[in-house]
């Protein structure tokens, strides 16, 4: 009962925070967090809430379609906008601060729309668990005065999943998602071709019943590509049972080699390479400026 009461208190606090924010735009990806924010904003603000989804080659088309379906289910007004991060050389370069440039583009567009159309604020889906992660996109949120009501209400990911389950949102157990560019190692330029290969490979693997996965896209010195599949134990079993067909299909999508990462699925595996830049605490003069924590977004 104490746990339930504490969760109810956080929900009430969230409702107050969004009410105080006034008419708002929700940066809406269709993931667990932004869907919950959009649903509560619709509850509290009614027609004063607008969900907007950014569309670009780094966002799977399946996610865009799901965002549209979720918005209809919630009853919140919803719009799609094209974002142009692929036109930004700093984004395409794919340094560890890539997410900053993506969010800078998105939040710049959303805050501009808010000003033009009389919305008082822009809300994101950052929660309490995100504060310890390596998230350069948070810097963009701060620069554009984007508010984080889940964070302010003290809600964790587990809290959000439970509250989403209680209100019947289908996203309550949705696997964590990240943009397709997060599958490409830092320093390897992001290209539409690479993003398309990843999107097609992951879409195929999901048809096999694999829910939690990433297809990491590695480029060899020869220019050939390697698909390094990360998935959970259940997914590993599925893939091993069909390894010949899986290998064939991913090769059809352009990969020369298809590998299964025995360490399994974990968020931020691309940030593991950043550890190479870390120096002992006694000598931080050469520490890589972006090697602060060890996880990607999200």
């Amino acid at each position: 009962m104490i746990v339930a009461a504490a969760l109810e208190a956080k929900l009430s606090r969230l409702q107050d925070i969004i009410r105080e924010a006034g008419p708002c735009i929700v940066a809406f990806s269709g993931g667990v967090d932004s869907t919950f924010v959009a649903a509560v904003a619709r509850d509290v603000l009614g027609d004063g809430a607008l969900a907007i989804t950014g569309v670009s080659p780094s966002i799977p088309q399946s996610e865009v379609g799901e965002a549209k379906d979720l918005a209809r289910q919630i009853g919140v007004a919803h719009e799609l906008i094209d974002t142009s991060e692929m036109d930004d050389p700093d984004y395409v370069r794919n340094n560890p601060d890539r997410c900053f440039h993506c969010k800078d583009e998105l939040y710049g567009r959303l805050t501009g729309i808010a000003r033009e159309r009389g919305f008082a604020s822009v809300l994101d889906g950052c929660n309490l668990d995100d504060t310890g992660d390596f998230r350069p996109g948070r810097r963009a949120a701060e620069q554009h005065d984007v508010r984080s009501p889940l964070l302010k209400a003290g809600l964790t990911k587990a809290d959000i999943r439970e509250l989403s389950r209680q209100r019947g949102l289908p996203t309550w157990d949705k696997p964590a998602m990240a943009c397709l560019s997060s599958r490409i190692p830092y320093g390897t330029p992001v290209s539409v071709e690479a993003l398309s290969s990843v999107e097609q490979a992951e879409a195929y693997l999901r048809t096999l019943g694999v829910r939690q996965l990433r297809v990491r896209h590695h480029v060899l010195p020869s220019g050939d590509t390697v698909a390094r599949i990360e998935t959970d134990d259940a997914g590993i079993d599925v893939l091993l049972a069909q390894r010949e067909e899986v290998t064939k299909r991913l090769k059809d999508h352009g990969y020369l080699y298809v590998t299964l990462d025995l360490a399994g699925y974990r968020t931020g595996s691309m940030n593991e390479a950043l550890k190479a830049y870390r120096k002992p605490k006694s000598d931080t003069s050469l520490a890589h400026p972006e090697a602060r924590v060890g996880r990607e977004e999200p």
Side-chain angles (χ1 to χ4, degrees):
M1 294 297 293
I2 294 176
V3 173
L7 196 57
E8 189 63 31
K10 289 183 180 181
L11 175 58
S12 179
R13 174 62 177 146
L14 176 65
Q15 292 167 336
D16 290 341
I17 290 168
I18 292 178
R19 187 176 295 110
E20 292 166 4
C24 68
I25 290 174
V26 178
F28 183 63
S29 68
V32 178
D33 303 319
S34 66
T35 297
F36 188 66
V37 172
V40 176
R42 170 60 180 162
D43 292 344
V44 173
L45 301 173
D47 293 338
L50 171 63
I52 297 183
T53 301
V55 179
S56 78
S58 68
I59 306 300
Q61 284 301 305
S62 60
E63 288 297 301
V64 175
E66 188 169 332
K68 293 164 68 174
D69 292 340
L70 286 166
R72 281 193 292 269
Q73 179 175 334
I74 294 167
V76 69
H78 182 226
E79 296 179 12
L80 304 177
I81 61 170
D82 291 323
T83 57
S84 303
E85 61 268 23
M86 289 296 294
D87 295 333
D88 182 353
D90 289 326
Y91 177 84
V92 172
R93 194 173 293 118
N94 197 22
N95 286 335
D97 66 346
R98 180 198 65 241
C99 288
F100 167 79
H101 302 290
C102 176
K103 296 297 188 184
D104 185 48
E105 162 70 9
L106 175 63
Y107 293 150
R109 294 287 306 281
L110 296 185
T111 53
I113 293 171
R115 285 192 299 270
E116 293 170 3
R117 295 163 62 173
F119 289 94
S121 59
V122 174
L123 311 182
D124 71 8
C126 180
N127 66 67
L128 190 62
D129 290 337
D130 296 330
T131 56
D133 289 353
F134 171 52
R135 290 178 177 264
R138 293 300 301 155
R139 180 159 53 96
E142 293 168 2
Q143 290 185 7
H144 290 282
D145 294 322
V146 172
R147 303 188 186 191
S148 303
L150 298 175
L151 177 60
K152 191 171 182 180
L155 285 158
T156 65
K157 191 74 162 190
D159 293 335
I160 297 160
R161 288 191 183 279
E162 175 57 21
L163 289 168
S164 297
R165 186 192 66 79
Q166 290 178 13
R167 69 175 293 154
L169 292 175
T171 49
W172 76 270
D173 66 343
K174 182 177 182 177
M177 297 297 295
C179 81
L180 296 172
S181 296
S182 69
R183 317 306 199 257
I184 303 173
Y186 296 129
T188 300
V190 177
S191 69
V192 173
E193 180 182 13
L195 297 175
S196 178
S197 293
V198 171
E199 180 175 8
Q200 292 178 66
E202 291 190 355
Y204 162 67
L205 294 177
R206 287 194 173 90
T207 67
L208 303 179
V210 181
R211 295 192 68 205
Q212 188 67 275
L213 82 150
R214 298 285 188 269
V215 174
R216 307 297 186 183
H217 181 97
H218 296 269
V219 181
L220 300 174
S222 64
D224 296 312
T225 55
V226 177
R228 176 170 60 87
I229 304 171
E230 296 178 13
T231 185
D232 55 18
D233 290 347
I236 288 174
D237 290 341
V238 170
L239 298 181
L240 287 178
Q242 304 179 65
R243 60 185 182 274
E244 292 183 0
E245 176 63 19
V246 168
T247 300
K248 179 181 181 301
R249 289 294 296 270
L250 266 63
K251 285 191 172 187
D252 288 344
H253 293 309
Y255 291 104
L256 179 63
Y257 298 109
V258 179
T259 68
L260 181 59
D261 192 325
L262 296 181
Y265 169 80
R266 65 267 190 208
T267 57
S269 73
M270 289 306 193
N271 284 338
E272 292 168 4
L274 295 181
K275 295 177 182 179
Y277 291 97
R278 293 180 176 177
K279 306 298 290 184
K281 292 183 178 180
S282 60
D283 179 11
T284 59
S285 61
L286 298 179
H288 192 285
E290 298 295 348
R292 294 190 292 273
V293 185
R295 294 180 63 187
E296 74 185 327
E297 185 167 8

